[in-house]
Amino acid sequence: MPSAIERQWNFDLPLTSLAVNRRGDWIAGALGDGSLRLLPANFAAEEPKEIRLHDGVSLSLQPDADDHAFLSGGDDGKAFIIDPALDAPTLIKEHKNQWIDHVAASPLGEFRAYSTGKNIYLLDDAGEEKFTAAVPSSPGGLAFSPNGKRLVASHYNGVSLWWTNAKESVPARLIWKGSHLGLIWHPEGKIVISAMQEPALHGWRLGDNNEMQMQGYAAKVRSMGFTAKTRYLATGGAEQVICWPFFGGGPWGKTPLMLGGGDGRLVTCVAPHPKDEMLAAGYEDGMVILAPLDGRMEILIHPPVAQNGAGVVGLVWNGDGDCLFAALENGYLMLFTLESVKQSVTHA
Amino acid sequence: MEQIPVTVLTGYLGAGKTTLLNRILSETHGKRYAVIVNEFGEIGIDNDLVVGADEEIFEMNNGCICCTVRGDLIRVMGGLMKRARNFDGILIETTGLADPGPVAQTFFADPDVAVRAKLDSIVTVVDARHVPERLKDSQEAQEQIAFADAILLNKTDLVSKEELENVERMIRRINAFAKIVPTERCNVPLDKILGLGGFDLNRILTHEPDFLEPADHDHSEDCQDEQCDHSDHDHGHHRAHDHEHDPSIMSLSLIADRPIDGAKFENWIGELRATKGPDLLRYKGILDVAGRDAKLAIQGVHMMMEGSNLAAWKAGEKRQSRLVFIGRDLDAEALKKGFASTYGG
């Protein structure tokens, strides 16, 4: 089956990540030379705008608290806000000779946070430092709760949680043996889940400290997302998209829904549709699929790429959910629209 | 995917690691190296490819106590690999007190690191004047020598010929197989310490067929060198270099002229790794497996072992299995017996 690509761009440099702003109308791709490409997230998809950013590379690219901007931290020790309406990024912090490994912005409340080494910095809406805190090992992830009232950092043997309005930086610590990396909050803000160095997830329900352990992955889980209406946590790291049910008492004691694949290739990216009960998944060999959650068949929208190093490293929907962008490690950025997918299915 | 070569630079405090690093970074040799250092301030060179990292030792949650890795290296390697390739290799400087084990294990235990980078070799800088004392009081100093593919015996101008010979002997007792490069002020051609392929199974065989032969046969009195009897082909042969005195880390080599039984060997080495893993620092071998035309090469660090079938034995080539261990409190007799129990036929 041919690809359902509407448009594609080749940047001749490795793409390392992809993000969509909170408004859902711009996407940003980070490249291996430290620059960004910005693109309006719509059908028209003009030529990408190039922004020179880091002297090394972006280590973390996220939607900013300002809902049309992006936030990036890099191995040049700099953190920038990138506003698509402006021609130049705004430098907000610099730490000479250090790496800014993680950046995060609160969905509500205009907080920003970043980490260098073992230190975490929380900034208020004016960009002033509210507090700094050290965790036991360099954090593997940093994330604000959906209402912006809490900040969580993952590290060795657990996660640390702060209240963003607190004056003191003493965290609550949730313990689980092992090294914790990526983080995701349940959209209701009661559960925080970490992806571990081992191929497993560990989650904590705040308040009653109920914990959850999700295992059986073939690789580290690097991509997670809650599906529309918060029914499933969709995850990569296996040959199929593993979707843990968060309804009817789950995920405790429930088996996951497994979608797509099963041919020995691993899922590297998942992107739940922003409105409908459907998700997109990208694989280590460049394959991209759309998978409905109601049991209907998956649709292959981009076939595997024969050459090495063409894994999917970023996959995002625009806010309206009619455009899907996929970034391949070898520098290709692809745009699929629901319309191009429909036509490709009809002609197949 | 092309894997980027990584050289690990160890050495006790004051041995001369920083001097060496500064040389590698400042000399023109046509190559660019990213350098991961433990103390940023010591490197006097402003280079955007110098990265500071604090040692963060992580235990893997797989129930094995000796499967420790360096979390900081996993993080930094991940970041370096995002860069459009603008360097030819990576150098990792460890602290003077670091255990090289977790560093080496990181390259086997973390799948992301293993895909994109390969451990080329471990190079240990040793201060010829002070190392005899260090070996008496420091477990780390012993381990750094034990893990090495190459030992840069530095500051040789500060010792007499006799002292130097004595130091070489001490080093050989611990690690009989590393290349020893005497030097003053780390003044050594870089190709003697970079790109050695110490962990490359293929290279071991094709470029250095004698790698399993101890490099120095001049052993001290306490060495019980048991020569094998080449007339007795029915019982296979072994030869062990067995040292009973301090330091507790030593080298041991086993040779068999009979083919070994693949399944038996796997059982034995598996059991050995499970029970003695923490004491086995490094081991390598080329095996003549009964019923197979290809040479089997293995190498390991603690519990972690990898093996690969290499080119076939050539016609007329002496088929022989050779296995070396560098480890702590090795039981030479038990190892000899165990290896002998894997003979096939």
Side-chain angles (χ1 to χ4, degrees):
Chain A
M1 187 180 145
S3 172
I5 290 179
E6 169 81 27
R7 278 196 72 175
Q8 69 173 335
W9 298 265
N10 177 9
F11 299 130
D12 285 323
L13 275 169
L15 273 159
T16 57
S17 64
L18 198 59
V20 62
N21 64 358
R22 291 244 153 84
R23 217 181 262 183
D25 60 357
W26 281 85
I27 64 146
L31 291 167
D33 68 347
S35 67
L36 289 190
R37 297 294 184 280
L38 297 176
L39 207 58
N42 58 39
F43 297 88
E46 305 148 22
E47 280 315 300
K49 182 166 159 181
E50 179 177 342
I51 304 279
R52 303 298 312 166
L53 202 60
H54 296 288
D55 291 330
V57 288
S58 167
L59 297 171
S60 177
L61 176 66
Q62 301 291 334
D64 187 35
D66 175 346
D67 68 359
H68 59 268
F70 297 91
L71 187 59
S72 175
D75 60 1
D76 54 356
K78 292 175 183 171
F80 291 101
I81 292 172
I82 305 99
D83 183 336
L86 304 175
D87 286 330
T90 310
L91 178 69
I92 56 165
K93 285 288 164 186
E94 181 168 6
H95 292 257
K96 200 166 160 34
N97 289 339
Q98 293 185 54
W99 285 13
I100 295 189
D101 292 299
H102 301 283
V103 292
S106 65
L108 295 170
E110 294 270 308
F111 288 111
R112 297 180 180 94
Y114 64 95
S115 71
T116 71
K118 292 173 186 163
N119 297 317
I120 289 161
Y121 300 80
L122 177 69
L123 308 178
D124 65 16
D125 52 0
E128 295 298 320
E129 214 167 275
K130 276 209 75 181
F131 63 69
T132 66
V135 287
S137 69
S138 302
L142 199 57
F144 285 96
S145 62
N147 63 10
K149 289 188 176 166
R150 304 205 81 174
L151 173 67
V152 62
S154 57
H155 44 77
Y156 190 47
N157 287 343
V159 299
S160 296
L161 286 151
W162 295 266
W163 292 104
T164 49
N165 62 3
K167 290 198 177 62
E168 304 239 345
S169 63
V170 181
R173 200 153 279 167
L174 303 173
I175 306 293
W176 185 260
K177 203 168 177 293
S179 171
H180 298 260
L181 304 172
L183 286 167
I184 191 169
W185 283 88
H186 186 280
E188 286 164 14
K190 298 282 197 307
I191 296 171
V192 63
I193 296 156
S194 81
M196 299 190 63
Q197 163 75 23
E198 286 78 17
L201 304 179
H202 192 83
W204 293 266
R205 189 162 67 192
L206 308 180
D208 64 4
N209 283 338
N210 231 324
E211 296 183 36
M212 62 195 80
Q213 177 77 359
M214 286 92 106
Q215 293 170 319
Y217 292 94
K220 280 183 217 170
V221 180
R222 298 176 182 291
S223 180
M224 302 185 270
F226 276 94
T227 63
K229 297 180 199 147
T230 319
R231 286 166 62 78
Y232 291 97
L233 174 66
T235 57
E239 287 181 24
Q240 293 183 287
V241 183
I242 309 298
C243 304
W244 299 97
F246 276 72
F247 56 89
W252 292 275
K254 305 278 181 192
T255 52
L257 181 67
M258 299 197 278
L259 303 172
D263 306 325
R265 55 172 73 91
L266 296 179
V267 177
T268 50
C269 290
V270 294
H273 191 272
K275 294 172 178 167
D276 299 328
E277 295 210 294
M278 168 173 85
L279 58 82
Y283 290 75
E284 62 184 346
D285 60 1
M287 185 168 90
V288 183
I289 64 163
L290 288 186
L293 295 167
D294 61 5
R296 280 177 299 151
M297 221 167 86
E298 300 99 20
I299 306 167
L300 176 70
I301 62 171
H302 189 64
V305 180
Q307 80 222 65
N308 260 345
V312 178
V313 292
L315 194 63
V316 295
W317 291 96
N318 66 353
D320 292 335
D322 54 4
C323 291
L324 173 72
F325 292 86
L328 299 187
E329 203 176 351
N330 61 9
Y332 278 89
L333 177 66
M334 308 185 290
L335 162 64
F336 307 90
T337 63
L338 289 184
E339 195 51 40
S340 73
V341 169
K342 248 183 230 159
Q343 282 186 11
S344 136
V345 171
T346 317
H347 291 133
Chain B
M1 190 171 296
E2 200 191 325
Q3 292 168 300
I4 192 148
V6 177
T7 302
V8 176
L9 195 57
T10 76
Y12 212 73
L13 306 164
K17 286 184 310 246
T18 307
T19 311
L20 181 63
L21 272 179
N22 277 326
R23 270 201 56 212
I24 294 171
L25 287 171
S26 59
E27 281 182 15
T28 37
H29 39 66
K31 297 224 162 145
R32 269 167 68 79
Y33 291 93
V35 184
I36 302 172
V37 296
N38 62 81
E39 273 169 88
F40 211 99
E42 287 189 7
I43 296 285
I45 291 167
D46 193 20
N47 183 321
D48 66 325
L49 286 174
V50 179
V51 186
D54 277 347
E55 187 175 62
E56 295 179 356
I57 305 254
F58 292 175
E59 250 172 57
M60 301 287 280
N61 260 358
N62 54 8
C64 165
I65 191 80
C66 64
C67 286
T68 49
V69 297
R70 287 275 299 267
D72 55 317
L73 292 180
I74 295 175
R75 177 178 63 87
V76 171
M77 294 288 295
L80 283 175
M81 292 305 164
K82 286 185 175 176
R83 295 180 178 210
R85 184 65 59 85
N86 60 359
F87 48 92
D88 304 293
I90 296 174
L91 294 170
I92 297 172
E93 181 207 21
T94 68
T95 70
L97 294 172
D99 175 359
V103 181
Q105 291 183 146
T106 303
F107 291 85
F108 301 101
D110 184 80
D112 302 319
V113 172
V115 163
R116 286 157 186 271
K118 61 167 191 246
L119 184 54
D120 178 83
S121 55
I122 296 175
V123 175
T124 299
V125 185
V126 169
D127 173 341
R129 187 163 178 192
H130 292 110
V131 74
E133 271 171 67
R134 290 288 81 78
L135 288 177
K136 279 182 209 147
D137 62 20
S138 160
Q139 178 85 353
E140 291 88 358
Q142 292 183 29
E143 285 177 355
Q144 289 167 359
I145 287 172
F147 270 100
D149 295 288
I151 291 164
L152 206 58
L153 188 50
N154 196 27
K155 307 188 185 180
T156 52
D157 52 328
L158 302 182
V159 293
S160 67
K161 191 164 169 286
E162 291 72 32
E163 283 172 314
L164 189 61
E165 280 169 5
N166 179 43
V167 164
E168 287 198 29
R169 242 189 330 268
M170 291 177 93
I171 291 172
R172 282 279 167 244
R173 270 183 223 162
I174 297 171
N175 185 335
F177 310 98
K179 182 158 102 176
I180 296 182
V181 187
T183 165
E184 300 167 14
R185 287 175 285 279
C186 291
N187 197 4
V188 58
L190 295 180
D191 60 1
K192 289 214 187 245
I193 51 165
L194 297 175
L196 298 179
F199 287 82
D200 182 343
L201 293 170
N202 264 302
R203 181 133 171 200
I204 284 166
L205 206 64
T206 52
H207 294 268
E208 293 171 61
D210 298 332
F211 88 98
L212 296 175
E213 302 293 344
D216 180 358
H217 292 271
D218 175 25
H219 290 278
S220 56
E221 306 71 47
D222 59 354
C223 166
Q224 295 162 12
D225 194 351
E226 195 181 301
Q227 295 295 336
C228 46
D229 176 5
H230 286 274
S231 64
D232 183 359
H233 283 274
D234 281 331
H235 296 94
H237 307 297
H238 47 249
R239 180 172 61 189
H241 297 283
D242 175 1
H243 307 274
E244 294 176 348
H245 305 300
D246 283 340
S248 61
I249 298 175
M250 63 176 188
S251 300
L252 182 109
S253 111
L254 303 169
I255 295 181
D257 285 342
R258 280 174 65 171
I260 63 153
D261 180 298
K264 281 186 195 166
F265 181 79
E266 216 166 282
N267 281 340
W268 172 66
I269 198 91
E271 174 74 18
L272 193 64
R273 283 158 53 214
T275 54
K276 302 276 185 225
D279 289 333
L280 299 177
L281 305 183
R282 285 191 71 174
Y283 44 102
K284 301 181 186 186
I286 291 171
L287 304 168
D288 173 20
V289 181
R292 279 201 213 170
D293 289 334
K295 299 167 184 176
L296 175 68
I298 61 147
Q299 67 132 351
V301 171
H302 291 312
M303 290 279 294
M304 292 177 189
M305 189 182 90
E306 59 175 8
S308 153
N309 283 313
L310 301 176
W313 295 95
K314 293 189 195 81
E317 186 179 6
K318 186 176 178 189
R319 293 176 74 128
Q320 192 181 53
S321 296
R322 294 176 289 171
L323 194 56
V324 303
F325 292 97
I326 299 173
R328 196 180 293 117
D329 303 323
L330 296 181
D331 182 340
E333 277 312 308
L335 286 169
K336 276 187 237 171
K337 269 190 200 142
F339 188 47
S341 75
T342 71
Y343 297 165

